């Protein structure tokens, strides 16, 4: 079956789940895809990248939305089912450390960010701020944002046990209310209620994400089994097409494929 958006007779549905970071534009794109493909059903659900990948491996969905790389363990689990996981990159995003707008700390080194989240740095005065304990906020470990943060920031360090785990919107709201808090959000979740902390002298922007200068840059993808069925491949192609899914992803602030 052709993957060039040709109409097809498909009586089932494509179930997509995973990253909440791209869930909203994916929903809009799925609705547009179904309009172009009468009789096609595409469902979009969140739950985090980890849950999406487990659903794909377990056979409950056809596509996983992921903002983190497929791990060796996940590939091994797929291999037990006789499958191989393949990532279809849709674009790039960034994770941004954020503080209350009244917090005077505007710039931070990546090493100091690691110190905060490992628990080695506990007071804002150590970073040129006020004499106040740092309240550390983090995402659900099942989210791709949390996994990417651990990989890029903490590396081989453990997260401080004092970190408060929150859902993305709750985390942003908590930072907006507490001058002693620090958290992190996807670039597309930035708003005026919080303030970005510049990392290693690089301000996050579409340009610094696209050219790779921003240090906390990551890809976001649809993950499938190798050689997916025609309808599934058609939806992947739709999301990667410059005049189709890429338009909706870009409208949500994502840095799409060139």
């Amino acid at each position: 079956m052709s993957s060039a958006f040709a109409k097809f007779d498909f009586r089932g549905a494509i179930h997509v789940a995973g990253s909440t970071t791209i869930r909203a534009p994916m929903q809009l794109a799925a609705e547009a895809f179904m309009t172009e493909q009468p009789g096609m059903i595409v469902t979009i659900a969140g739950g985090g990248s980890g849950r999406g990948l487990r659903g794909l491996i377990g056979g409950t969905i056809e596509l996983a939305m992921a903002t983190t790389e497929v791990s060796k363990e996940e590939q091994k689990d797929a291999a037990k089912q006789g499958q191989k996981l393949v990532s279809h990159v849709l674009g790039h995003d960034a994770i941004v450390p954020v503080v209350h707008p009244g917090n005077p700390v505007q710039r931070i080194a990546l090493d100091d960010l690691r110190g905060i989240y490992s628990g080695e740095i506990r007071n804002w005065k150590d970073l040129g701020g006020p004499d106040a304990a740092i309240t550390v906020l983090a995402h659900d470990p099942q989210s791709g944002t949390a996994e990417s943060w651990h990989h890029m920031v903490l590396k081989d360090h453990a997260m401080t046990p004092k970190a408060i785990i929150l859902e993305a919107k709750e985390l942003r709201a908590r930072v907006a209310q507490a001058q002693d808090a620090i958290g992190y959000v996807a670039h597309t979740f930035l708003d005026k209620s919080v303030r970005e902390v510049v990392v290693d002298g690089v301000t996050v922007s579409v340009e610094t994400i696209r050219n790779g200068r921003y240090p906390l840059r990551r890809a976001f993808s649809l993950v499938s089994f190798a050689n997916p069925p025609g309808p599934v491949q058609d939806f992947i192609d739709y999301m990667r097409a410059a005049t189709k899914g890429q338009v909706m992803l870009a409208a949500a602030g994502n840095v799409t494929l060139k």
Side-chain angles (χ1 to χ4, degrees):
M1 183 175 292
S2 170
S3 295
F5 315 126
K7 292 187 182 298
F8 49 78
D9 181 17
F10 186 65
R11 298 183 184 276
I14 300 173
H15 301 92
V16 186
S19 172
T20 56
T21 300
I22 56 171
R23 179 181 178 181
M26 285 291 299
Q27 181 64 56
L28 294 175
E31 292 169 3
F33 177 77
M34 288 186 286
T35 298
E36 291 193 14
Q37 302 283 4
M40 187 63 230
I41 298 174
V42 181
T43 66
I44 307 292
S49 298
R51 292 186 178 95
L53 288 167
R54 286 200 303 275
L56 175 61
I57 295 167
T60 59
I61 62 174
E62 286 72 42
L63 285 170
M65 300 179 289
T67 51
T68 186
E69 295 182 5
V70 174
S71 69
K72 292 181 180 179
E73 290 73 20
E74 287 161 340
Q75 284 288 15
K76 288 180 180 178
D77 289 341
K80 293 175 183 177
Q81 308 298 326
Q83 298 287 354
K84 178 182 179 180
L85 300 178
V86 178
S87 296
H88 310 271
V89 177
L90 302 182
H92 291 85
D93 186 20
I95 308 176
V96 186
V98 291
V99 295
H100 186 279
N103 189 319
V105 177
Q106 299 188 19
R107 307 168 81 85
I108 194 168
L110 186 57
D111 286 346
D112 288 337
L113 202 54
R114 183 176 303 114
I116 291 173
Y117 273 83
S118 66
E120 295 172 8
I121 298 176
R122 303 178 184 179
N123 195 298
W124 283 110
K125 69 179 180 181
D126 296 329
L127 301 170
D131 184 3
I134 302 173
T135 298
V136 179
L137 308 181
H139 287 243
D140 178 348
Q142 295 299 323
S143 76
T145 299
E147 187 172 340
S148 295
W149 183 263
H150 199 285
H151 175 72
M152 293 187 288
V153 176
L154 281 162
K155 298 186 181 297
D156 58 348
H157 291 68
M159 174 84 75
T160 172
K162 294 185 177 181
I164 300 170
I165 307 301
L166 297 169
E167 184 271 337
K169 291 183 179 179
E170 293 176 334
L171 185 151
R172 185 179 60 190
R174 179 72 174 268
V175 172
Q177 296 169 359
Q179 291 201 29
D180 62 345
I182 187 169
Y184 56 90
V185 297
H187 173 238
T188 52
F189 279 19
L190 273 177
D191 65 16
K192 293 182 179 179
S193 70
V194 296
R195 180 172 54 73
E196 168 202 358
V197 182
V198 176
V199 180
D200 282 350
V202 182
T203 301
V204 68
S205 68
V206 170
E207 180 181 358
T208 58
I209 295 172
R210 189 179 294 284
N211 64 25
R213 287 188 60 234
Y214 188 72
L216 302 180
R217 172 182 183 262
R218 61 179 177 172
F220 57 88
S221 310
L222 283 176
V223 182
S224 72
F225 289 142
N227 303 312
V232 176
Q233 184 64 57
D234 280 346
F235 184 64
I236 294 169
D237 291 345
Y238 183 93
M239 292 306 307
R240 288 174 54 85
T243 59
K244 305 284 184 175
Q246 292 284 295
V247 173
M248 295 166 201
L249 289 167
N254 296 288
V255 179
T256 49
L257 304 171
K258 289 186 178 180

